[in-house]
Amino acid sequence: MTEREVDATRTLGPEGRQSRITDRVLSAGSVSAQELAEDFGVSVMTIHRDLDELQRQGVLRKSRGIATAQPSGTFESNVEYRAKANVEAKRLIAQHACRHVEPGMSVLLDDSTTALQMLPHLAALAPLTVATNYLTALVELAKLRDVHVVALGGGYDIQHDSFLGSTCVDAVQSMRFDAAFVSTSAVSDGYAFHQEDKIVAVKRAMVDVAARSHLLIDHTKLTRSALHRLLPLHRFASVVVDPGVPARDLAALRENDVLVEVAGRAE
C-alpha cells in the first residue's frame, strides 16, 4: 500500500477493516497477521482480534497467525466465500440455465450464489413469478418489473443470508412451481451432496414441488466431498456445468440417466 492508502485504512473502524481483510484473504488465499498489520497500519494484536471475529463468523480460518480462505466444511458454506468463488463459471451456468425459463412461468431459486447469477437475465423473461429464501436475491428481485416476488420465510441464518428451518420447508411445500434451480456442495457417484442437513431439507422440498428441477454446479463441485446425501442426479431434468469440467467427468455424469448441459458451448 502507498502511504496515503495506509493512512486511509487507519480511519476504518473494526467492521470496515474486517471487510477489507475478508476481501484480501479471499483474493490471496492466505495472508499472515503480520502482513495485515503492516498493510492496515495497526498492531498485530488488533489484527488477531479481527481475525478471531471473522473466524467466529465463519468467514475465514486462522491458524498460527495465518488467515486462510481454503474451503472446508461450514466455512465453504459461508455466503461471503461463496459469492466470490468461481464467479465467471457461475455466470456462464446461470445464463445457460435461463434457457429453461419462459415468460409466465413460476420459478423457484435456492440460496445458492450460482442461482443468484440468474437474476440479471430474468427481466428479459418477464412476466414471471419467482420465489426464493435468499435475502440478497429477494432484494434484487424486488427491483425487476413484471416479476412477482415470493419470499420463503423461516429462521434467518446470517451465515447463508437465507431463511431456513421447518417454517421455510412448510412454505415451500405449500406451493407448486414450473421450475426449480438449485446448486449444491459436491457431486459424487451419481448423487448430489451437501455438508449441512438444514440446507438439504430445504433443497429437497424445492425439488419436490417443482415440475422440473435443474442442478447448477461448477467444476469444483466434482472434486469435493460433503456429508449429507441430497438427491440422486436422475431426479433433475438437467445438470448444468461450466466448460471447466474435464471430459472424463462429463462422461461419468452422463452415466447417471441425466441430461448434462455444458454452459458456453453450442448445443
Side-chain angles (χ1 to χ4, degrees):
M1 287 187 179
T2 65
E3 184 175 342
R4 178 176 294 181
E5 289 172 329
V6 170
D7 288 341
T9 61
R10 285 175 176 152
T11 65
L12 293 171
E15 290 187 3
R17 189 172 56 249
Q18 289 165 19
S19 177
R20 297 278 187 89
I21 290 172
T22 298
D23 291 341
R24 173 80 184 278
V25 174
L26 291 176
S27 175
S30 64
V31 185
S32 72
Q34 183 63 48
E35 289 178 283
L36 291 170
E38 293 172 0
D39 287 347
F40 287 92
V42 296
S43 71
V44 173
M45 289 305 298
T46 295
I47 292 296
H48 275 291
R49 285 193 291 270
D50 289 334
L51 297 181
D52 287 341
E53 173 59 21
L54 292 170
Q55 180 170 255
R56 186 192 68 79
Q57 296 175 20
V59 174
L60 51 77
R61 292 184 295 158
K62 187 183 90 167
S63 177
R64 298 181 180 179
I66 303 293
T68 177
Q70 181 178 349
S72 174
T74 57
F75 172 81
E76 184 184 325
S77 292
N78 186 274
V79 71
E80 292 282 351
Y81 173 82
R82 291 186 291 117
K84 297 180 180 182
N86 307 307
V87 174
E88 186 54 36
K90 292 174 181 177
R91 286 173 179 161
L92 283 173
I93 291 168
Q95 184 175 12
H96 182 101
C98 285
R99 297 183 184 187
H100 297 290
V101 179
E102 297 178 0
M105 288 179 64
S106 56
V107 177
L108 183 55
L109 304 179
D110 71 354
D111 61 354
S112 67
T113 54
T114 305
L116 181 68
Q117 294 292 340
M118 294 176 65
L119 269 56
H121 308 286
L122 294 183
L125 297 167
L128 294 169
T129 294
V130 183
T132 185
N133 62 326
Y134 191 1
L135 182 56
T136 293
L138 288 168
V139 173
E140 294 304 313
L141 284 166
K143 301 174 184 177
L144 302 183
R145 295 185 60 182
D146 297 323
V147 174
H148 175 58
V149 184
V150 178
L152 301 171
Y156 179 69
D157 188 304
I158 190 171
Q159 184 180 15
H160 300 85
D161 190 33
S162 63
F163 300 94
L164 301 170
S166 60
T167 304
C168 182
V169 171
D170 289 344
V172 173
Q173 292 176 335
S174 70
M175 292 175 277
R176 293 293 180 269
F177 295 87
D178 295 314
F181 297 87
V182 305
S183 188
T184 195
S185 305
V187 170
S188 178
D189 299 325
Y191 284 86
F193 290 82
H194 200 282
Q195 64 266 28
E196 295 177 83
D197 55 357
K198 62 183 176 182
I199 303 294
V200 167
V202 174
K203 291 180 187 288
R204 281 180 180 166
M206 289 180 169
V207 172
D208 286 343
V209 302
R212 295 173 66 84
S213 297
H214 305 273
L215 181 64
L216 316 180
I217 54 168
D218 66 74
H219 62 279
T220 64
K221 307 300 175 64
L222 300 176
T223 59
R224 296 177 181 171
S225 61
L227 182 62
H228 300 282
R229 192 164 69 180
L230 173 59
L231 287 168
L233 295 183
H234 65 73
R235 286 290 306 276
F236 298 94
S238 72
V239 176
V240 185
V241 301
D242 68 284
V245 176
R248 66 180 182 278
D249 291 333
L250 278 177
L253 283 173
R254 286 171 171 148
E255 291 175 355
N256 295 287
D257 192 29
V258 63
L259 174 63
V260 179
E261 301 177 352
V262 182
R265 291 185 186 174
E267 296 297 324

